[in-house]
Amino acid sequence: MAMAEAVFAQDPVIQEPTVPDPAAAEEPIEEVVVLGRFKAAATDIVSERLESDVPVDLLDAALISRVGDSNVASALRRVPGVTLVQDQFVYVRGLGERYSSTQLNGSVIPSPDLTRNVLPLNIFPAEIIDALSVTKGYSPDLPAAFGGGNINIRTKAIPEDAQFSVSLNTGWNSEHSNDGFSYAGGDDDNIGEDDGTRALPQEILSGIEQFRGSFSPNNIQRLARQSGSPISIADAQLQNRTLATSLNRNLDLSDKSLPADFEGEVTGGYRWFLGDDWDLGFLALADYSNKWRNRQRTFRRVTEPEQTFANANRTINQVTVTGGLNVGLNFLDDHEISVLGLFLRNTEDEATVAESCTLGQFNDCETTNNRERIQDTRFEQRDLEVLQVSGEHALNEDTFDEFPFLNFLRGLEGASGSWFYTESTAETDLPNETRVKFVEDLDPTTGQPVASRVRAVNNAAEFRFGELTDDVENYGGQITVPFAGSSWDLELSGGGMYTRKGRSYRQTIMGLGPSVNNPAFNNDIASGSISDVFSDSNLTNPAYGYELFVGIGQFGTESYAAGQITEAGFGKFDLMLGDAWRFSGGARWENFKQLSVPIDYLEFDGPRIPLTADEIENSTITTDEWYPALSATYIRPDFWAPEFQFRASWSETATRPDIREISSSVYIDPLTEARVIGNPNLKPAALTNFDLRAEWFWDADNFTVSAFYKDIEDPIETIQGGATEDNIVFNFINADSAEVYGIEFEGLKGLGFLSNNGWTDAFYVAGNATFSDSEVVIPATAGGNITNRTRALTQQSPWVANVQLGYDSFDGRHGATLVYNAFGERIFFAGINGVGDAFEQPFHSLDFVYTFFPSDLWTIKLRFQNILDQTTRIDQQDAQGNNVRVIEQTVGTSFLLDVKWGF
């Protein structure tokens, strides 16, 4: 603690400059550190960094507000060595999201993401955050699933005094225009919830049971005959088509001029003092956001980009709803019990129209004068509910005075303990994700469409329904006991944690269409609207040959169930020798069990789990390991700066396969639209970590340089497997080995030295940069004809940069920040068959935030995001070395206005 007190002996406050009194020139002058409102926030978190026994980076609420980030994922881009992937997952030090763990107030929580069991961090709004900590050096009190780092999201605590605020936000994006899309949804879409309009009809669920997983007319007729009530094939076909009429087919798109963004937030809290020893408080928050965005996305096949491509226009409506209540009870300042209830909803409603030359006869649009048009709708509702009870306790003098019967513990005075219990549930509902396929006739001169019709194929319309539930029970605690000598201080701590996780996903896929190339269909109704083409009367008309299929997946089962149990215990020491040396370390034991099995809910004649007992046994992951760690810190004041410390740490950790990665079921990657298939034979990867960090701290400035090296045995990598004509397939393997290493720089510097009259005292610059490299070796036995078996790790960036130029007015009423973030090109997925790896190109994000405080109660903020109008771009080289842009998507430039009143 002495280190932090030395650096922050003077509380950073805002002070107006005063004119010196000549008469006081002979009097001693006291030096005062003057920091702006936001620069003070940047220094407040340094004390926690100083006191940590391992390397850690932090962002607090004030700094997040300063740069204008709206959620946890965006904010973490500002941390050294952290990059953002798909706007929701973070990569720490070049290692994928599976190599980093995320906790909420120290607890493990589930993921509502369909494609991963790691947490998508964009679902956490910035409004609930007190601080974000990224621990880059492993400590035994952290989960052993540690590669790049551990991210802990710390929610806001109970206020010291009465607190209330209301804020309203609006905004606009350059992709807003009159060419957006909309379709008929439900009455509750504005709160991010489907009212049942899109839900899987009960008639379909009953039909699956009645017809034993198959809607084919032949099967319906066979079952009727077996039941003793034979029917004709025509009657069986009519029953099939009648089932189809229960589906929601009101899918016609209409043009929409996108409205401005809207967000509203209310927070309130209070603390009651109940006598001299007790106090009770609460903090409540409610937040609602509704945003519309247009996105343009282009796909190209690297082997024939001019002939095989798709141009998609997407309109996305994102609704977020957040509710939180934190209640805390304190006694004697030594004991605190808190209860946190948190509800997060993040819903995306998407409509897409894609024009493509990708399938079969449409591979050459210029020759055939035809192209395919695909219309998609997708409504994905993600909910997360958390109930957390926690406590912190200390054995200090006040506790012994209040409870004399505890005097037998006086020998442990100063000891402390903490505990928590968390139950959380993540649910994702994907009702009626649809796709309808059209053929467009093109004018041979202009290449523009002159006519459009629904394709006469048996899956002209596809309907996909998905439900995900992820439950986690997590509890644990630890005790710390201090000891002291004449020239040393020692803390011994130990504790344990238990985590139980259950995850299930059920998906039902159906296809609906006429008989292939039905002439009556093509001549009579194919050119109509979707609601007309698939109307009840047309569906039941035998002339068009409609048939409903269930379970049309071609790559395997789509549903699965999984479970995971982790039991852990740890012991740790923290030794301070004099004022110069600090040593800490210990070991963590973890017993880990995980199983994921595919489920075929359409199977009625055999086992629904299509695995033998041996296959289930072989796909079970069980580990029982110890994970040691050791760190040393050398402290030397006045070494270039008033405070200096040098850290070195070593540890052994693990990373385990994602639940989805070990299941042989299939899912769709939302960005690439590739089919992704798990590998039941994956095994955990083992990591050895080395870290060095030197830190210098002045009154308000600081500078840090860090170096790291990680050796990985059996790393888990994504590779491109086989593919059909219109689908890429990804799967997972254990590579032989990998290593990643790099260096990080971070600093904060006031610019007052640039002027003699002090006007540049209002400015500062802060930033960080990471330079790293990696190598992974993929064995020759790995599936697929991989082009480069020795290459960089997927999503590892050779460099990452963050720079902030800040201004704080002397009167404390104005603040401005120019924020730049960028990363070097990184492998998005590995190439096969002589084709090069696909690289995501650098994204240069430039944002500007201006904040005005007209009074102590009002705050007005202007935000400009992605000023350079950068796009997401993925390039890949073909077998001849030609560079092809295989994916490109617009993001747009945003302008946002926030107005807040509060005390």
Side-chain angles (χ1 to χ4, degrees):
M1 188 65 68
M3 292 181 292
E5 292 174 349
V7 176
F8 300 106
Q10 299 188 57
D11 187 33
V13 295
I14 303 168
Q15 299 186 9
E16 295 187 10
T18 58
V19 178
D21 181 1
E26 300 297 324
E27 299 178 5
I29 299 176
E30 179 183 3
E31 182 181 359
V32 179
V33 179
V34 181
L35 298 179
R37 183 189 300 261
F38 289 116
K39 190 178 176 185
T43 63
D44 285 343
I45 62 176
V46 173
S47 60
E48 185 171 345
R49 285 180 52 179
L50 279 167
E51 296 304 319
S52 174
D53 59 329
V54 292
V56 61
D57 290 312
L58 297 111
L59 294 173
D60 71 353
L63 287 173
I64 294 171
S65 174
R66 170 87 200 206
V67 297
D69 291 322
S70 60
N71 59 64
V72 168
S74 297
L76 285 170
R77 294 180 300 159
R78 318 301 178 186
V79 175
V82 174
T83 55
L84 184 62
V85 177
Q86 296 184 26
D87 294 327
Q88 52 188 332
F89 303 105
V90 295
Y91 281 45
V92 181
R93 290 179 163 176
L95 293 171
E97 73 271 6
R98 73 169 62 86
Y99 289 93
S100 299
S101 57
T102 301
Q103 297 176 292
L104 180 70
N105 298 322
S107 294
V108 178
I109 54 175
S111 168
D113 191 86
L114 291 172
T115 62
R116 299 166 173 85
N117 74 335
V118 294
L119 206 59
L121 296 177
N122 63 329
I123 70 171
F124 291 95
E127 290 77 17
I128 71 169
I129 300 168
D130 179 62
L132 300 173
S133 67
V134 181
T135 304
K136 296 179 177 178
Y138 178 67
S139 177
D141 54 354
L142 296 174
F146 182 100
N150 172 272
I151 299 166
N152 190 22
I153 303 168
R154 304 197 310 227
T155 55
K156 290 182 177 177
I158 298 166
E160 292 296 326
D161 204 346
Q163 174 182 316
F164 181 78
S165 66
V166 178
S167 65
L168 295 176
N169 311 330
T170 189
W172 175 86
N173 184 271
S174 61
E175 295 293 309
H176 279 189
S177 62
N178 293 322
D179 56 0
F181 302 119
S182 181
Y183 67 99
D187 292 336
D188 295 334
D189 286 4
N190 281 334
I191 60 172
E193 183 173 22
D194 180 59
D195 63 358
T197 299
R198 305 174 179 86
L200 182 63
Q202 184 59 47
E203 293 88 340
I204 297 293
L205 291 171
S206 299
I208 290 174
E209 295 292 327
Q210 179 183 354
F211 301 123
R212 301 180 64 80
S214 173
F215 291 164
S216 74
N218 289 332
N219 182 62
I220 294 174
Q221 185 185 40
R222 179 182 63 84
L223 293 174
R225 184 170 58 250
Q226 290 177 353
S227 68
S229 303
I231 60 174
S232 67
I233 191 65
D235 288 339
Q237 290 171 338
L238 180 60
Q239 289 190 36
N240 173 282
R241 295 164 186 157
T242 302
L243 282 173
T245 63
S246 67
L247 293 168
N248 176 33
R249 292 144 288 134
N250 189 11
L251 304 174
D252 298 318
L253 297 186
S254 58
D255 293 336
K256 182 177 182 63
S257 180
L258 303 191
D261 298 345
F262 172 80
E263 182 175 3
E265 177 196 330
V266 178
T267 62
Y270 194 74
R271 186 184 293 259
W272 293 272
F273 293 92
L274 311 175
D276 296 331
D277 299 331
W278 295 85
D279 61 80
L280 174 69
F282 79 95
L283 178 67
L285 176 145
D287 182 89
Y288 172 81
S289 170
N290 194 321
K291 300 178 182 179
W292 290 80
R293 290 292 184 270
N294 276 339
R295 295 286 185 264
Q296 295 179 355
R297 178 191 288 178
T298 298
F299 295 91
R300 297 182 183 88
R301 180 164 293 170
V302 65
T303 54
E304 44 184 11
E306 299 300 324
Q307 292 78 33
T308 308
F309 62 89
N311 296 314
N313 292 309
R314 309 163 62 209
T315 299
I316 306 165
N317 179 210
Q318 183 183 66
V319 175
T320 60
V321 180
T322 304
L325 176 64
N326 192 0
V327 178
L329 178 66
N330 294 293
F331 177 60
L332 295 174
D333 292 329
D334 290 344
H335 307 275
E336 178 180 358
I337 296 176
S338 62
V339 179
L340 171 67
L342 186 63
F343 173 79
L344 300 173
R345 169 173 294 163
N346 184 293
T347 298
E348 289 190 350
D349 189 7
E350 179 178 331
T352 303
V353 174
E355 299 158 348
S356 67
C357 295
T358 58
L359 303 179
Q361 69 197 69
F362 304 104
N363 273 353
D364 191 347
C365 294
E366 294 182 1
T367 301
T368 63
N369 292 319
N370 296 123
R371 71 182 178 196
E372 183 175 52
R373 178 165 60 89
I374 297 175
Q375 175 188 305
D376 293 338
T377 65
R378 176 186 174 94
F379 185 95
E380 183 176 346
Q381 176 186 334
R382 304 185 293 180
D383 291 349
L384 175 63
E385 299 178 7
V386 179
L387 176 62
Q388 185 178 71
V389 184
S390 61
E392 295 184 1
H393 309 275
L395 292 177
N396 291 322
E397 186 65 31
D398 290 342
T399 297
F400 292 120
D401 291 343
E402 188 72 23
F403 303 108
F405 63 88
L406 293 177
N407 281 331
F408 72 96
L409 294 175
R410 278 192 177 272
L412 297 177
E413 184 172 349
S416 61
S418 62
W419 55 270
F420 69 89
Y421 179 86
T422 303
E423 285 188 354
S424 47
T425 300
E427 295 182 329
T428 298
D429 188 20
L430 194 66
N432 205 17
E433 178 184 7
T434 70
R435 168 166 289 188
V436 181
K437 302 172 183 178
F438 297 81
V439 179
E440 289 186 332
D441 298 326
L442 305 179
D443 185 297
T445 303
T446 64
Q448 297 301 307
V450 294
S452 175
R453 61 189 181 277
V454 175
R455 288 186 65 185
V457 293
N458 56 17
N459 64 339
E462 296 179 2
F463 304 83
R464 186 187 304 263
F465 302 85
E467 294 180 351
L468 170 75
T469 301
D470 197 341
D471 292 305
V472 171
E473 180 187 28
N474 179 221
Y475 56 84
Q478 69 177 64
I479 296 174
T480 301
V481 180
F483 302 90
S486 60
S487 60
W488 56 270
D489 293 282
L490 173 66
E491 287 186 346
L492 296 179
S493 59
M497 179 186 290
Y498 173 85
T499 306
R500 177 195 55 79
K501 182 172 187 176
R503 184 177 174 97
S504 64
Y505 179 58
R506 179 166 182 169
Q507 182 171 260
T508 303
I509 304 175
M510 285 172 285
L512 174 64
S515 53
V516 177
N517 293 325
N518 183 295
F521 175 85
N522 283 331
N523 294 330
D524 296 346
I525 63 172
S527 59
S529 65
I530 294 176
S531 56
D532 288 338
V533 172
F534 296 97
S535 66
D536 289 357
S537 59
N538 285 334
L539 286 180
T540 55
N541 188 335
Y544 302 134
Y546 278 105
E547 185 173 339
L548 178 66
F549 301 85
V550 61
I552 63 172
Q554 301 297 314
F555 296 89
T557 58
E558 294 85 16
S559 306
Y560 67 93
Q564 186 183 97
I565 294 177
T566 306
E567 299 171 303
F570 76 90
K572 179 181 174 182
F573 71 90
D574 189 352
L575 174 65
M576 188 77 184
L577 295 178
D579 296 326
W581 288 98
R582 181 181 184 182
F583 299 93
S584 65
R588 184 182 185 90
W589 164 81
E590 285 195 355
N591 182 279
F592 175 82
K593 300 175 183 177
Q594 177 172 284
L595 174 64
S596 179
V597 294
I599 300 177
D600 187 353
Y601 288 102
L602 302 180
E603 178 58 60
F604 284 81
D605 297 325
R608 288 193 165 181
I609 298 176
L611 299 175
T612 66
D614 288 341
E615 288 174 327
I616 293 177
E617 181 67 25
N618 292 335
S619 62
T620 301
I621 296 177
T622 302
T623 61
D624 192 320
E625 301 286 348
W626 285 90
Y627 302 94
L630 183 65
S631 66
T633 304
Y634 172 65
I635 304 157
R636 181 179 174 182
D638 298 320
F639 180 68
W640 188 28
E643 292 293 332
F644 166 78
Q645 58 183 20
F646 178 80
R647 306 176 187 269
S649 63
W650 162 87
S651 62
E652 292 182 352
T653 57
T655 186
R656 293 142 183 162
D658 188 299
I659 283 178
R660 289 295 290 108
E661 293 171 347
I662 63 170
S663 171
S664 55
S665 56
V666 182
Y667 65 92
I668 308 297
D669 181 83
L671 180 60
T672 63
E673 296 191 357
R675 266 63 176 176
V676 184
I677 305 175
N679 177 3
N681 298 315
L682 286 178
K683 55 186 177 181
L687 293 89
T688 302
N689 313 285
F690 299 91
D691 289 273
L692 299 174
R693 171 174 285 200
E695 300 171 297
W696 292 266
F697 298 96
W698 292 264
D699 289 331
D701 302 335
N702 61 76
F703 178 70
T704 300
V705 58
S706 306
F708 60 91
Y709 174 83
K710 298 178 182 292
D711 182 74
I712 310 173
E713 181 181 347
D714 300 318
I716 301 168
E717 277 288 288
T718 303
I719 64 170
Q720 186 176 342
T724 65
E725 178 66 23
D726 60 322
N727 289 298
I728 299 173
V729 178
F730 290 153
N731 33 53
F732 307 96
I733 62 164
N734 281 111
D736 282 338
S737 62
E739 60 179 3
V740 58
Y741 48 89
I743 188 168
E744 299 171 345
F745 301 92
E746 180 182 11
L748 169 70
K749 177 64 179 175
L751 300 182
F753 68 94
L754 295 178
S755 67
N756 295 325
N757 56 10
W759 69 271
T760 57
D761 288 342
F763 293 87
Y764 74 90
V765 63
N768 57 73
T770 301
F771 303 92
S772 63
D773 198 2
S774 67
E775 181 179 275
V776 61
V777 179
I778 299 174
T781 55
N785 186 17
I786 300 172
T787 302
N788 299 313
R789 293 190 176 271
T790 300
R791 55 169 174 80
L793 284 164
T794 302
Q795 294 290 356
Q796 183 264 324
S797 297
W799 58 268
V800 181
N802 290 285
V803 180
Q804 299 175 32
L805 176 62
Y807 166 78
D808 294 319
S809 67
F810 291 112
D811 61 6
R813 298 203 178 278
H814 303 272
T817 311
L818 187 66
V819 186
Y820 173 77
N821 169 267
F823 58 84
E825 69 171 14
R826 56 197 184 191
I827 295 177
F828 192 78
F829 60 84
I832 60 172
N833 299 325
V835 173
D837 301 326
F839 284 87
E840 184 176 2
Q841 298 303 299
F843 190 103
H844 298 272
S845 172
L846 183 64
D847 304 336
F848 177 76
V849 183
Y850 167 73
T851 307
F852 173 48
F853 303 93
S855 72
D856 291 338
L857 298 178
W858 288 93
T859 304
I860 299 173
K861 182 183 295 182
L862 297 177
R863 293 181 283 164
F864 297 87
Q865 297 177 336
N866 193 23
I867 296 172
L868 302 178
D869 197 22
Q870 292 281 283
T871 61
T872 299
R873 298 157 295 144
I874 298 175
D875 293 352
Q876 189 173 17
Q877 286 192 348
D878 62 19
Q880 290 73 43
N882 301 309
N883 199 58
V884 177
R885 181 143 296 164
V886 293
I887 299 177
E888 183 168 14
Q889 178 170 286
T890 59
V891 176
T893 300
S894 295
F895 165 76
L896 305 168
L897 170 65
D898 308 338
V899 179
K900 180 179 180 180
W901 180 89
F903 56 85

